Amino acid sequence: MKESEERFRTLFENSTMGIFVHRNYKLLTANPAAAEMYGYDSVEEFLTVKSTQDLTVPEHHSYDNAKRMRGEQTVAVNEHLGIKKDGSNFWVRKRTFVIDWGGEPATCTLREDISQAKEAENAIRESEAKFRTLFEQSTMGIFVHRNYKPLMANSAIAKMYGYDSVDDFMNIETTQLLTVPEHQTNLHRDRLKGSRVEADNEHLGQKADGTPFWVRKRTFVIEWDGEPAICSIREDISQAKQSEEALKQSEERFRGAIEGLQEGFALYSPDDKLVMCNDEFRNLHQHCLEYIQPGVSFEAMTRHNAENGHNTDAAGRVEEYIQERMEKHRNPKGPIIRHNTEGVVRLITETKLPDGGTIITQNDITEVVQAEAEVKRQKTLFEAAIN
């Protein structure tokens, strides 16, 4: 479990892409890149955002989240104007998909600041002079073609596709060779005729040596030597694809490891709300399953148990017990032995995480306690018999 969690955390924390998970627009977790992208000083501050809708200008709000959570087909990638902490706007490209988080579906989103790409596109449209300067200096791969024959290309595109020089790139027989056969499209003529065609797509590109890699391209029509031609801006998104897949696999491995534990396991967020737990934890809390749900606070569950007479220690002193239990929860110093009114005895261990969250493990030690009591009883009887 620790190894899977560490891999997930390492990838999550070190990714250059902004990544966060939310449910019903409420943030559940985020990485430093996301906080930095939106101008927040820390992840903790970023997680205080009331709604992820506040990260997008109102006129660009999307309401596909409910459909996505129901499993309906929605647009996985889109672009919109984001809002930084200081109120400034910037262009964002987001990739959104559903993952399992805490036993329920949640939305994971990978975000990139594409302001540079937008500026490049605008500059290209405005003037050829600006286009030339930006074209040569851009870190984005850019080329122009007509009928799949290159007309112009920058060094970044040649490097991206593994060609030794721009001249080598310009000598390719057809730009279709830049895409693996099963991902090739035949939309070129439709674009040149002005038909409405999706400007962006993602596909498997093909390097000069035949190596496939993931590419995101933005394609639009420009005028070239008095005739329409296609301008294509491309970027290598292999890392983003790998990050997405690794995130899914790591989350699945982490959840599998948790479910394999023989002890009850629960993870609470820095604001003390349940993030996830395993089946054994639910089995130990059959009397309050409605409170073993993601988003329910630890204090709410504690109060429910105390007020409904499930903990023997709370009898006749509910509020006092809740205060004592919350103090131990906030400042754990060692294992806790808890008796409930059903006769079950649990050994509870709580551990604080660096981000302020809490891991709780619980074991049913009823049989052990009963065995110890029986040993003491037999010893007492034996000593009485001797006396």
Side-chain angles (χ1 to χ4, degrees), residues 324-344:
E324 291 174 357
R325 183 66 186 92
M326 292 306 299
E327 176 61 27
K328 290 180 180 179
H329 175 68
R330 297 188 185 101
N331 302 285
K333 295 180 180 178
I336 300 171
I337 295 178
R338 181 71 63 223
H339 297 255
N340 68 23
T341 52
E342 287 79 19
V344 177

PDB file of all heavy atoms in Angstrom, residues 324-344:
ATOM      1  N   GLU A 324     -13.548  15.273  24.277  1.00  0.00           N
ATOM      2  CA  GLU A 324     -12.374  14.444  24.553  1.00  0.00           C
ATOM      3  C   GLU A 324     -11.934  13.678  23.294  1.00  0.00           C
ATOM      4  O   GLU A 324     -10.741  13.608  22.983  1.00  0.00           O
ATOM      5  CB  GLU A 324     -12.689  13.448  25.675  1.00  0.00           C
ATOM      6  CG  GLU A 324     -12.875  14.083  27.033  1.00  0.00           C
ATOM      7  CD  GLU A 324     -13.323  13.061  28.074  1.00  0.00           C
ATOM      8  OE1 GLU A 324     -13.540  11.884  27.680  1.00  0.00           O
ATOM      9  OE2 GLU A 324     -13.462  13.434  29.256  1.00  0.00           O
ATOM     10  N   ARG A 325     -12.926  13.107  22.585  1.00  0.00           N
ATOM     11  CA  ARG A 325     -12.586  12.307  21.389  1.00  0.00           C
ATOM     12  C   ARG A 325     -11.996  13.171  20.297  1.00  0.00           C
ATOM     13  O   ARG A 325     -11.034  12.776  19.621  1.00  0.00           O
ATOM     14  CB  ARG A 325     -13.852  11.607  20.861  1.00  0.00           C
ATOM     15  CG  ARG A 325     -13.560  10.684  19.661  1.00  0.00           C
ATOM     16  CD  ARG A 325     -12.696   9.527  20.090  1.00  0.00           C
ATOM     17  NE  ARG A 325     -12.297   8.708  18.943  1.00  0.00           N
ATOM     18  CZ  ARG A 325     -11.182   8.893  18.248  1.00  0.00           C
ATOM     19  NH1 ARG A 325     -10.352   9.901  18.561  1.00  0.00           N
ATOM     20  NH2 ARG A 325     -10.888   8.102  17.244  1.00  0.00           N
ATOM     21  N   MET A 326     -12.529  14.371  20.082  1.00  0.00           N
ATOM     22  CA  MET A 326     -12.012  15.261  19.039  1.00  0.00           C
ATOM     23  C   MET A 326     -10.608  15.742  19.377  1.00  0.00           C
ATOM     24  O   MET A 326      -9.771  15.913  18.496  1.00  0.00           O
ATOM     25  CB  MET A 326     -12.957  16.452  18.840  1.00  0.00           C
ATOM     26  CG  MET A 326     -14.309  16.077  18.230  1.00  0.00           C
ATOM     27  SD  MET A 326     -14.167  15.162  16.679  1.00  0.00           S
ATOM     28  CE  MET A 326     -13.301  16.360  15.657  1.00  0.00           C
ATOM     29  N   GLU A 327     -10.321  15.959  20.660  1.00  0.00           N
ATOM     30  CA  GLU A 327      -8.973  16.363  21.072  1.00  0.00           C
ATOM     31  C   GLU A 327      -7.976  15.260  20.756  1.00  0.00           C
ATOM     32  O   GLU A 327      -6.879  15.521  20.245  1.00  0.00           O
ATOM     33  CB  GLU A 327      -8.963  16.686  22.567  1.00  0.00           C
ATOM     34  CG  GLU A 327      -7.583  17.034  23.118  1.00  0.00           C
ATOM     35  CD  GLU A 327      -6.964  18.249  22.463  1.00  0.00           C
ATOM     36  OE1 GLU A 327      -7.718  19.125  21.978  1.00  0.00           O
ATOM     37  OE2 GLU A 327      -5.713  18.327  22.418  1.00  0.00           O
ATOM     38  N   LYS A 328      -8.340  14.011  21.061  1.00  0.00           N
ATOM     39  CA  LYS A 328      -7.454  12.884  20.746  1.00  0.00           C
ATOM     40  C   LYS A 328      -7.300  12.716  19.238  1.00  0.00           C
ATOM     41  O   LYS A 328      -6.231  12.340  18.756  1.00  0.00           O
ATOM     42  CB  LYS A 328      -8.011  11.598  21.362  1.00  0.00           C
ATOM     43  CG  LYS A 328      -7.930  11.548  22.874  1.00  0.00           C
ATOM     44  CD  LYS A 328      -8.510  10.246  23.401  1.00  0.00           C
ATOM     45  CE  LYS A 328      -8.425  10.204  24.929  1.00  0.00           C
ATOM     46  NZ  LYS A 328      -9.012   8.947  25.474  1.00  0.00           N
ATOM     47  N   HIS A 329      -8.360  13.003  18.500  1.00  0.00           N
ATOM     48  CA  HIS A 329      -8.319  12.879  17.044  1.00  0.00           C
ATOM     49  C   HIS A 329      -7.409  13.937  16.418  1.00  0.00           C
ATOM     50  O   HIS A 329      -6.656  13.653  15.490  1.00  0.00           O
ATOM     51  CB  HIS A 329      -9.739  13.002  16.493  1.00  0.00           C
ATOM     52  CG  HIS A 329      -9.813  13.004  14.998  1.00  0.00           C
ATOM     53  ND1 HIS A 329      -9.508  11.886  14.230  1.00  0.00           N
ATOM     54  CD2 HIS A 329     -10.151  13.987  14.117  1.00  0.00           C
ATOM     55  CE1 HIS A 329      -9.656  12.191  12.954  1.00  0.00           C
ATOM     56  NE2 HIS A 329     -10.051  13.453  12.863  1.00  0.00           N
ATOM     57  N   ARG A 330      -7.486  15.157  16.941  1.00  0.00           N
ATOM     58  CA  ARG A 330      -6.675  16.239  16.382  1.00  0.00           C
ATOM     59  C   ARG A 330      -5.210  16.117  16.792  1.00  0.00           C
ATOM     60  O   ARG A 330      -4.313  16.560  16.060  1.00  0.00           O
ATOM     61  CB  ARG A 330      -7.212  17.601  16.837  1.00  0.00           C
ATOM     62  CG  ARG A 330      -8.626  17.904  16.339  1.00  0.00           C
ATOM     63  CD  ARG A 330      -9.014  19.330  16.662  1.00  0.00           C
ATOM     64  NE  ARG A 330     -10.399  19.606  16.313  1.00  0.00           N
ATOM     65  CZ  ARG A 330     -11.408  19.638  17.170  1.00  0.00           C
ATOM     66  NH1 ARG A 330     -11.171  19.430  18.470  1.00  0.00           N
ATOM     67  NH2 ARG A 330     -12.636  19.877  16.769  1.00  0.00           N
ATOM     68  N   ASN A 331      -4.963  15.531  17.942  1.00  0.00           N
ATOM     69  CA  ASN A 331      -3.596  15.393  18.449  1.00  0.00           C
ATOM     70  C   ASN A 331      -3.356  13.951  18.904  1.00  0.00           C
ATOM     71  O   ASN A 331      -3.243  13.668  20.099  1.00  0.00           O
ATOM     72  CB  ASN A 331      -3.363  16.353  19.620  1.00  0.00           C
ATOM     73  CG  ASN A 331      -3.613  17.804  19.242  1.00  0.00           C
ATOM     74  OD1 ASN A 331      -2.811  18.418  18.556  1.00  0.00           O
ATOM     75  ND2 ASN A 331      -4.747  18.337  19.677  1.00  0.00           N
ATOM     76  N   PRO A 332      -3.303  13.021  17.956  1.00  0.00           N
ATOM     77  CA  PRO A 332      -3.131  11.611  18.323  1.00  0.00           C
ATOM     78  C   PRO A 332      -1.785  11.359  19.005  1.00  0.00           C
ATOM     79  O   PRO A 332      -0.753  11.850  18.557  1.00  0.00           O
ATOM     80  CB  PRO A 332      -3.214  10.890  16.969  1.00  0.00           C
ATOM     81  CG  PRO A 332      -2.863  11.922  15.955  1.00  0.00           C
ATOM     82  CD  PRO A 332      -3.364  13.223  16.500  1.00  0.00           C
ATOM     83  N   LYS A 333      -1.829  10.599  20.107  1.00  0.00           N
ATOM     84  CA  LYS A 333      -0.602  10.317  20.861  1.00  0.00           C
ATOM     85  C   LYS A 333      -0.389   8.824  21.088  1.00  0.00           C
ATOM     86  O   LYS A 333       0.608   8.426  21.670  1.00  0.00           O
ATOM     87  CB  LYS A 333      -0.647  11.042  22.210  1.00  0.00           C
ATOM     88  CG  LYS A 333      -0.646  12.557  22.074  1.00  0.00           C
ATOM     89  CD  LYS A 333      -0.701  13.239  23.426  1.00  0.00           C
ATOM     90  CE  LYS A 333      -0.710  14.765  23.274  1.00  0.00           C
ATOM     91  NZ  LYS A 333      -0.807  15.463  24.582  1.00  0.00           N
ATOM     92  N   GLY A 334      -1.310   8.022  20.668  1.00  0.00           N
ATOM     93  CA  GLY A 334      -1.160   6.590  20.863  1.00  0.00           C
ATOM     94  C   GLY A 334      -2.458   5.877  20.582  1.00  0.00           C
ATOM     95  O   GLY A 334      -3.502   6.500  20.347  1.00  0.00           O
ATOM     96  N   PRO A 335      -2.437   4.544  20.598  1.00  0.00           N
ATOM     97  CA  PRO A 335      -3.644   3.774  20.318  1.00  0.00           C
ATOM     98  C   PRO A 335      -4.764   4.071  21.314  1.00  0.00           C
ATOM     99  O   PRO A 335      -4.521   4.412  22.469  1.00  0.00           O
ATOM    100  CB  PRO A 335      -3.174   2.319  20.436  1.00  0.00           C
ATOM    101  CG  PRO A 335      -1.694   2.380  20.249  1.00  0.00           C
ATOM    102  CD  PRO A 335      -1.270   3.675  20.849  1.00  0.00           C
ATOM    103  N   ILE A 336      -6.001   3.921  20.858  1.00  0.00           N
ATOM    104  CA  ILE A 336      -7.192   4.110  21.677  1.00  0.00           C
ATOM    105  C   ILE A 336      -7.976   2.804  21.686  1.00  0.00           C
ATOM    106  O   ILE A 336      -8.172   2.190  20.631  1.00  0.00           O
ATOM    107  CB  ILE A 336      -8.084   5.234  21.117  1.00  0.00           C
ATOM    108  CG1 ILE A 336      -7.323   6.558  21.067  1.00  0.00           C
ATOM    109  CG2 ILE A 336      -9.358   5.380  21.948  1.00  0.00           C
ATOM    110  CD1 ILE A 336      -8.066   7.658  20.314  1.00  0.00           C
ATOM    111  N   ILE A 337      -8.410   2.370  22.851  1.00  0.00           N
ATOM    112  CA  ILE A 337      -9.280   1.197  22.945  1.00  0.00           C
ATOM    113  C   ILE A 337     -10.699   1.696  23.186  1.00  0.00           C
ATOM    114  O   ILE A 337     -10.961   2.431  24.129  1.00  0.00           O
ATOM    115  CB  ILE A 337      -8.843   0.250  24.084  1.00  0.00           C
ATOM    116  CG1 ILE A 337      -7.461  -0.338  23.767  1.00  0.00           C
ATOM    117  CG2 ILE A 337      -9.862  -0.870  24.269  1.00  0.00           C
ATOM    118  CD1 ILE A 337      -6.922  -1.249  24.847  1.00  0.00           C
ATOM    119  N   ARG A 338     -11.622   1.306  22.293  1.00  0.00           N
ATOM    120  CA  ARG A 338     -12.970   1.820  22.355  1.00  0.00           C
ATOM    121  C   ARG A 338     -13.965   0.657  22.466  1.00  0.00           C
ATOM    122  O   ARG A 338     -13.929  -0.291  21.681  1.00  0.00           O
ATOM    123  CB  ARG A 338     -13.276   2.637  21.096  1.00  0.00           C
ATOM    124  CG  ARG A 338     -14.647   3.249  21.056  1.00  0.00           C
ATOM    125  CD  ARG A 338     -14.784   4.381  22.048  1.00  0.00           C
ATOM    126  NE  ARG A 338     -13.881   5.471  21.738  1.00  0.00           N
ATOM    127  CZ  ARG A 338     -13.155   6.128  22.648  1.00  0.00           C
ATOM    128  NH1 ARG A 338     -13.236   5.792  23.922  1.00  0.00           N
ATOM    129  NH2 ARG A 338     -12.363   7.108  22.299  1.00  0.00           N
ATOM    130  N   HIS A 339     -14.870   0.727  23.446  1.00  0.00           N
ATOM    131  CA  HIS A 339     -15.922  -0.266  23.645  1.00  0.00           C
ATOM    132  C   HIS A 339     -17.236   0.323  23.137  1.00  0.00           C
ATOM    133  O   HIS A 339     -17.570   1.461  23.460  1.00  0.00           O
ATOM    134  CB  HIS A 339     -16.087  -0.620  25.133  1.00  0.00           C
ATOM    135  CG  HIS A 339     -14.881  -1.262  25.731  1.00  0.00           C
ATOM    136  ND1 HIS A 339     -14.813  -2.608  26.013  1.00  0.00           N
ATOM    137  CD2 HIS A 339     -13.669  -0.737  26.105  1.00  0.00           C
ATOM    138  CE1 HIS A 339     -13.627  -2.884  26.539  1.00  0.00           C
ATOM    139  NE2 HIS A 339     -12.919  -1.766  26.608  1.00  0.00           N
ATOM    140  N   ASN A 340     -17.967  -0.443  22.331  1.00  0.00           N
ATOM    141  CA  ASN A 340     -19.294   0.032  21.971  1.00  0.00           C
ATOM    142  C   ASN A 340     -20.350  -0.820  22.667  1.00  0.00           C
ATOM    143  O   ASN A 340     -20.051  -1.861  23.258  1.00  0.00           O
ATOM    144  CB  ASN A 340     -19.505   0.063  20.450  1.00  0.00           C
ATOM    145  CG  ASN A 340     -19.551  -1.316  19.821  1.00  0.00           C
ATOM    146  OD1 ASN A 340     -19.840  -2.311  20.482  1.00  0.00           O
ATOM    147  ND2 ASN A 340     -19.269  -1.378  18.525  1.00  0.00           N
ATOM    148  N   THR A 341     -21.574  -0.373  22.598  1.00  0.00           N
ATOM    149  CA  THR A 341     -22.639  -1.015  23.364  1.00  0.00           C
ATOM    150  C   THR A 341     -23.047  -2.359  22.786  1.00  0.00           C
ATOM    151  O   THR A 341     -23.825  -3.083  23.402  1.00  0.00           O
ATOM    152  CB  THR A 341     -23.862  -0.085  23.423  1.00  0.00           C
ATOM    153  OG1 THR A 341     -24.200   0.326  22.081  1.00  0.00           O
ATOM    154  CG2 THR A 341     -23.580   1.141  24.267  1.00  0.00           C
ATOM    155  N   GLU A 342     -22.548  -2.702  21.598  1.00  0.00           N
ATOM    156  CA  GLU A 342     -22.826  -4.019  21.026  1.00  0.00           C
ATOM    157  C   GLU A 342     -21.830  -5.065  21.516  1.00  0.00           C
ATOM    158  O   GLU A 342     -21.854  -6.217  21.091  1.00  0.00           O
ATOM    159  CB  GLU A 342     -22.796  -3.969  19.488  1.00  0.00           C
ATOM    160  CG  GLU A 342     -23.982  -3.268  18.853  1.00  0.00           C
ATOM    161  CD  GLU A 342     -23.858  -1.753  18.907  1.00  0.00           C
ATOM    162  OE1 GLU A 342     -22.729  -1.271  19.089  1.00  0.00           O
ATOM    163  OE2 GLU A 342     -24.889  -1.057  18.790  1.00  0.00           O
ATOM    164  N   GLY A 343     -20.898  -4.648  22.382  1.00  0.00           N
ATOM    165  CA  GLY A 343     -19.920  -5.581  22.927  1.00  0.00           C
ATOM    166  C   GLY A 343     -18.653  -5.704  22.111  1.00  0.00           C
ATOM    167  O   GLY A 343     -17.776  -6.516  22.424  1.00  0.00           O
ATOM    168  N   VAL A 344     -18.515  -4.901  21.068  1.00  0.00           N
ATOM    169  CA  VAL A 344     -17.318  -4.940  20.224  1.00  0.00           C
ATOM    170  C   VAL A 344     -16.265  -4.000  20.790  1.00  0.00           C
ATOM    171  O   VAL A 344     -16.560  -2.876  21.199  1.00  0.00           O
ATOM    172  CB  VAL A 344     -17.660  -4.530  18.769  1.00  0.00           C
ATOM    173  CG1 VAL A 344     -16.388  -4.501  17.919  1.00  0.00           C
ATOM    174  CG2 VAL A 344     -18.681  -5.478  18.176  1.00  0.00           C
TER     175      VAL A 344
END
